[in-house]
Amino acid sequence: MTTIILKPKKEESLKRFHPWVFSGAIQRVVLDARHTSDAPDEGELVCVRSSANEVLGTGHWQVGSIAVRILAFGVEDLPKDFWRERIRAAYRMREAIGLVNYPHSEERIQPHNDTFRLVHGEGDFLPGLIVDVYAETAVIQAHSVGMHVCRNEIADAVVAEVPQVQNVYYKSDDTLPFKAAIEGDKTGWLISSRDRLEQRESEEYWSTENGLSFRIDWLKGQKTGFFIDQRENRALVERYARDKDVLNMFCYTGGFSLYALRGGARKVDSVDVSQKAIDLVNINVAKNFPEASNHSAVAADAFEYLSSQKEQGKTYDLIILDPPAFAKHRDAVKNALRGYQRINTKAIEMIRPGGILFTFSCSQAVDKESFRLAVFSAAAQAGRKVRILHQLHQPQDHPINIYHPEGEYLKGLVLYVE
Ligand code: SAH
């Protein structure tokens, strides 16, 4: 196997189980005999050693500032059953917290919730890999070339270890590094149960979250098709929704809207810039609340919608703001914070006295404190008395590896606005 030798002292973070090797930490690369080129192949499994030749771990090589993502510490190669063991450990964790079934129960699936994240990258000791489960289908997303190379082994391990999963769809066209030389399709079915082969392209897939049905479009939808990370926070919206006029801004497929309707909201307005998302919201509302006449969905830009509604004197009792990541990189943080401040000011201004704002940031590069400061500035600018009721975060099936604090990304505040 190819060996990566680190510069002196650069082994420290690996010894503390941080799984990334930065390219600047590398002293030299010793290619194994089969290489004809002068560098490892992207996605190749390599062994990392300290300058004193101590084995630190094995991981995937990639061109870029993170040169190696460690899969297993302290070993020269991956153990034989590596994928099955790691997937089993991830599933066991979801089982232990009662998310996929109750421990010691015969039921292998919770009838009221068959939607969960099975693998959350570094949080499940599998850097570069996301696996989301929707009823009997798992959707795999590779963020590293190494995970792309291993996609079939991963799919086999998921089907073998997760009782509810029969099909595996692969969706990595937006997540693999675009400069990398990738062999094979970045999107498509990896495993599909036989009776589905004919109809799979046209079939409608439904998945259940806390008893609510959602149409999942992983073929064309965003991310793996749904935002599982808001499950717990949606349940909190349900608690506060009774008799309220609700605005769900950046609604995507209407997650928060359905919970608000079930919680007894008087009226729910769902807004998203994407018409495709709005079509899905309407489908989801019709499926869960066929009689509902208190929901409307509009395709519009958030900033324009809030400005025009405000001009018309419109107000709400409860607003949810769940925008896409405003900062995709560190250098975009300043602009992102300005964006958060602007949108939150507009929302706070539209909240009736005694109303509630749920506001989120899913930008990994924006930390909790900076986000809170942006919302603080928004409150001050709106000139309202504001108190924090809850500080929200990502749910348990999006775990943060304690050695990899970068895994923390979703933060939210629930504000009481007087
Ligand atoms: N709250 C959603 C997830 C939101 S993802 C849920 O619970 O599932 C962010 C959404 O913001 C996407 O659906 C995207 O289409 C939408 N969006 C992006 N830019 C926007 C804009 N300028 N105005 C309104 N919506 C926007």
Side-chain angles (χ1 to χ4, degrees), residues 119-175:
V119 175
H120 184 61
E122 285 82 356
D124 283 292
F125 314 110
L126 289 168
L129 180 67
I130 297 294
V131 184
D132 285 340
V133 176
Y134 301 110
E136 75 278 20
T137 302
V139 181
I140 294 183
Q141 199 168 61
H143 290 252
S144 70
V145 183
M147 288 300 180
H148 172 78
V149 171
C150 300
R151 63 197 180 284
N152 286 306
E153 281 167 276
I154 298 167
D156 288 343
V158 170
V159 169
E161 294 295 337
V162 183
Q164 75 181 71
V165 172
Q166 292 163 26
N167 314 304
V168 180
Y169 190 71
Y170 184 58
K171 187 168 192 261
S172 301
D173 29 6
D174 294 333
T175 54

Side-chain angles (χ1 to χ4, degrees), residues 37 40 142 182 201 204 220-221 239 291 293 325 329 337 344 358 360 401 404:
S37 59
I182 306 273
E201 294 301 335
E204 287 181 5
K220 294 184 227 82
R239 246 173 70 189
E291 308 290 320
S293 57
H329 306 285
L337 288 171
N344 278 282
F358 278 69
F360 296 96
N401 176 345
H404 180 262

Side-chain angles (χ1 to χ4, degrees), residues 303 306 336-347 374 378 381:
F303 291 90
L306 290 174
L337 288 171
R338 246 178 260 134
Y340 287 123
Q341 185 184 333
R342 229 161 49 98
I343 193 98
N344 278 282
T345 304
K346 283 182 182 292
Q381 204 169 338

Side-chain angles (χ1 to χ4, degrees), residues 222 227 230 234 250-252 255-256 272-274 300-302 322-324:
Q222 300 180 33
F227 290 86
Q230 290 287 22
R234 289 178 186 135
F250 306 100
C251 64
Y252 188 43
F256 286 103
D272 197 286
V273 75
S274 148
D301 170 75
D322 184 23

Side-chain angles (χ1 to χ4, degrees), residues 43-277:
E44 181 179 340
L45 207 57
V46 296
C47 174
V48 180
R49 289 174 179 266
S50 69
S51 56
N53 211 32
E54 192 182 358
V55 174
L56 298 168
T58 297
H60 284 144
W61 173 265
Q62 190 159 309
V63 176
S65 89
I66 305 173
V68 184
R69 288 168 172 81
I70 298 288
L71 297 170
F73 288 96
V75 290
E76 277 180 81
D77 201 350
L78 295 186
K80 201 168 107 276
D81 276 337
F82 175 78
W83 295 106
R84 281 196 65 165
E85 276 173 20
R86 278 291 154 90
I87 298 290
R88 189 181 311 143
Y91 185 71
R92 285 238 172 99
M93 192 275 255
R94 276 78 183 159
E95 212 173 28
I97 60 173
L99 185 61
V100 291
N101 67 352
Y102 297 101
H104 317 299
S105 140
E106 286 300 298
E107 292 244 4
R108 301 308 292 168
I109 184 170
Q110 286 192 10
H112 72 284
N113 192 83
D114 57 20
T115 308
F116 63 96
R117 177 157 287 190
L118 172 67
V119 175
H120 184 61
E122 285 82 356
D124 283 292
F125 314 110
L126 289 168
L129 180 67
I130 297 294
V131 184
D132 285 340
V133 176
Y134 301 110
E136 75 278 20
T137 302
V139 181
I140 294 183
Q141 199 168 61
H143 290 252
S144 70
V145 183
M147 288 300 180
H148 172 78
V149 171
C150 300
R151 63 197 180 284
N152 286 306
E153 281 167 276
I154 298 167
D156 288 343
V158 170
V159 169
E161 294 295 337
V162 183
Q164 75 181 71
V165 172
Q166 292 163 26
N167 314 304
V168 180
Y169 190 71
Y170 184 58
K171 187 168 192 261
S172 301
D173 29 6
D174 294 333
T175 54
L176 284 166
F178 72 100
K179 282 192 198 142
I182 306 273
E183 282 179 30
D185 291 341
K186 294 188 209 170
T187 288
W189 291 94
L190 296 177
I191 298 175
S192 184
S193 49
R194 199 166 292 169
D195 56 354
R196 294 199 154 206
L197 279 172
E198 317 272 282
Q199 29 158 349
R200 62 191 185 188
E201 294 301 335
S202 59
E203 195 171 348
E204 287 181 5
Y205 293 90
W206 291 88
S207 165
T208 308
E209 184 185 85
N210 287 332
L212 292 164
S213 298
F214 288 92
R215 168 98 183 265
I216 310 291
D217 183 0
W218 49 76
L219 302 181
K220 294 184 227 82
Q222 300 180 33
K223 304 276 165 120
T224 65
F226 189 60
F227 290 86
I228 300 176
D229 57 2
Q230 290 287 22
R231 180 185 56 243
E232 316 284 330
N233 303 329
R234 289 178 186 135
L236 193 60
V237 163
E238 179 172 1
R239 246 173 70 189
Y240 287 128
R242 180 152 302 281
D243 297 330
K244 303 240 161 78
D245 283 341
V246 177
L247 170 62
N248 180 11
M249 179 54 80
F250 306 100
C251 64
Y252 188 43
T253 58
F256 286 103
S257 306
L258 293 196
Y259 282 73
L261 286 168
R262 192 168 65 179
R266 185 166 41 222
K267 174 84 205 301
V268 179
D269 292 338
S270 303
V271 180
D272 197 286
V273 75
S274 148
Q275 182 60 49
K276 257 195 258 159

